[in-house]
Amino acid sequence: MVLSETGSFSISFFLILVSVLLNGSAAAGLDRPVTPSVSREQILLAQKTQEQKPGKMERIVAAIPVRALSNVPLLAGVKKGFYRQEGLEIDVVQMSSTPAITGMITGDILVDFHTSAIRAPVTGRPIRMIGYMVDRLNWHLYAKPEIKRVEDLKGKVLAVTDVGGNVTYISQLMLEKHGLGGFGKDAEMFPTGSMQSSTLALLARQVDAALVGTEMGIKAEAKGFHVIARASDYVPLGLGGMSASLETLKSRSDTVKRFLRGSIRSLQFIRSDKNKAEGAEFFAQFLNLSRGDAELIYAQSKDYYSPNGSISREGLKFEVALLAQQLGLKKEVSVDEVADFTLLREVQVELGLK
């Protein structure tokens, strides 16, 4: 049950769905054997839940980059049957951003969860953001035990994922907000390529501090590193944006609304304290964590999830402006060219949410 890297994109998805129908509905894990011609990142992750008897279902595909905190509600909603209650059978497929964007445009993918998907509408492609799973960043600046404040980073080295990305921008903003000159002046950057690599560099004490997500930070905390700043206190950015094509929003609006309704139910489930035991179990299962780590990360993360699938207009405007700056665009890009929350608002009204 994999996506071929060659041949027609549409044919590839057809083969996946035929394979699913023929082989049943067990959720597939990342440890499934992979043939040499198939990329591991393209393995089918989650299929239909067995918690309800199947009725007449509409099968759709949702693309994710990796299993991460931002898409735990999606996977939990599949397992809990929230989407099936909306008449949707969801195949969650892990793939890179480029085929995900292509799949949305061809109609093979209904919705995409790549953080980088927002680049598509910013650069004029027929994609729109339709909602968010995480309405504020759960990235924290971890530092060596002897470093107590951001001001103590003068003359120190900070890990960043890449030179021109959001991690670098936010790290520099943190330094400047605390009176430091930023990278190249009062501090130095150490590009690592990913938050996981930044965490490893911190644990190896190759760097003095690193801005990483909660799931990575828990490893740093276990080794005595601690939080000296939180990204959500400096920028109004969100994570886990959901995107769809303009054609899908026009021709399959009812399907998108049902997907959004199931997503909001999933978010409410994850956020609820009464579900913390089951929520932590989903964290352990989907993120490959020990039960103890899952409980800690769940407790630290659940309030970062959006209560209704929204993100603030201020946060979205900030993200668009930052991305336009990083891409060197001269034309101003408006929020309305990037996002369409019309269907989300309709669902919120139907559910009595504001």
Side-chain angles (χ1 to χ4, degrees):
M1 292 180 284
V2 296
L3 287 176
S4 173
E5 293 183 333
T6 62
S8 164
F9 192 86
S10 297
I11 292 175
S12 298
F13 270 98
F14 175 77
L15 292 176
I16 292 174
L17 300 184
V18 169
S19 176
V20 171
L21 292 172
L22 292 176
N23 291 289
S25 59
L30 288 178
D31 55 350
R32 184 183 294 264
V34 182
T35 59
S37 62
V38 176
S39 170
R40 178 173 291 274
E41 69 175 357
Q42 294 177 315
I43 295 177
L44 192 63
L45 292 180
Q47 298 155 4
K48 64 184 181 182
T49 177
Q50 296 294 322
E51 296 186 12
Q52 299 183 31
K53 293 182 180 180
K56 184 177 180 181
M57 292 286 144
E58 179 181 2
R59 185 176 290 276
I60 65 172
V61 176
I64 64 173
V66 292
R67 294 192 187 203
L69 284 171
S70 56
N71 51 55
V72 165
L74 168 68
L75 299 173
V78 171
K79 294 291 287 185
K80 289 292 294 181
F82 295 144
Y83 295 105
R84 283 183 59 81
Q85 291 168 15
E86 299 296 332
L88 298 176
E89 197 81 85
I90 299 183
D91 294 316
V92 181
V93 182
Q94 184 174 321
M95 62 174 63
S96 61
S97 179
T98 298
I101 297 295
T102 301
M104 281 192 288
I105 293 175
T106 62
D108 292 297
I109 293 176
L110 183 88
V111 64
D112 177 35
F113 281 77
H114 284 75
T115 300
S116 60
I118 193 172
R119 289 174 174 259
V122 168
T123 55
R125 303 192 74 181
I127 302 294
R128 293 292 183 269
M129 308 306 295
I130 61 172
Y132 276 78
M133 287 292 192
V134 181
D135 60 7
R136 55 198 176 97
L137 288 179
N138 64 335
W139 297 352
H140 300 157
L141 185 62
Y142 283 86
K144 292 178 178 179
E146 59 267 26
I147 297 174
K148 307 300 183 184
R149 312 172 303 159
V150 176
E151 289 85 349
D152 297 336
L153 291 174
K154 185 173 183 177
K156 306 297 185 182
V157 179
L158 282 71
V160 298
T161 55
D162 53 74
V163 175
N166 286 351
V167 171
T168 301
Y169 175 86
I170 296 170
S171 298
Q172 171 125 343
L173 182 62
M174 288 175 168
L175 295 172
E176 292 174 351
K177 288 285 187 179
H178 291 269
L180 300 180
F183 293 122
K185 296 180 181 179
D186 289 332
E188 299 298 327
M189 69 170 71
F190 183 80
T192 65
S194 69
M195 281 192 170
Q196 181 176 10
S197 296
S198 291
T199 305
L200 293 175
L202 183 65
L203 296 178
R205 302 184 75 87
Q206 293 177 311
V207 298
D208 300 291
L211 184 64
V212 298
T214 304
E215 64 269 40
M216 294 292 104
I218 199 73
K219 302 180 185 298
E221 286 188 16
K223 298 295 184 179
F225 298 88
H226 65 124
V227 175
I228 60 173
R230 291 173 170 80
S232 59
D233 293 332
Y234 295 83
V235 294
L237 290 172
L239 278 176
M242 299 175 278
S243 58
S245 72
L246 286 173
E247 178 58 31
T248 291
L249 294 178
K250 178 181 178 181
S251 63
R252 303 179 68 184
S253 60
D254 179 67
T255 303
V256 174
K257 285 182 67 173
R258 286 184 283 131
F259 177 83
L260 290 170
R261 191 178 294 113
S263 296
I264 290 175
R265 292 187 61 198
S266 299
L267 286 166
Q268 292 176 332
F269 173 85
I270 289 293
R271 285 175 55 89
S272 176
D273 286 334
K274 70 179 182 181
N275 300 321
K276 63 182 181 180
E278 194 172 3
E281 180 59 34
F282 281 137
F283 273 56
Q285 177 183 351
F286 296 138
L287 302 180
N288 194 27
L289 300 169
S290 68
R291 180 65 189 214
D293 284 351
E295 290 176 350
L296 286 173
I297 293 175
Y298 172 80
Q300 293 179 12
S301 304
K302 72 180 186 66
D303 291 337
Y304 284 90
Y305 290 113
S306 172
N308 59 8
S310 292
I311 189 176
S312 71
R313 188 173 180 85
E314 175 195 12
L316 188 56
K317 186 176 181 180
F318 183 92
E319 183 174 11
V320 170
L322 178 58
L323 184 55
Q325 176 184 333
Q326 292 171 349
L327 294 174
L329 302 180
K330 295 181 179 179
K331 174 192 170 185
E332 182 177 349
V333 181
S334 72
V335 168
D336 294 331
E337 294 176 88
V338 172
D340 186 348
F341 295 147
T342 303
L343 298 179
L344 177 64
R345 294 190 188 101
E346 290 179 7
V347 171
Q348 290 171 344
V349 170
E350 292 168 2
L351 294 177
L353 302 173
K354 293 293 185 180

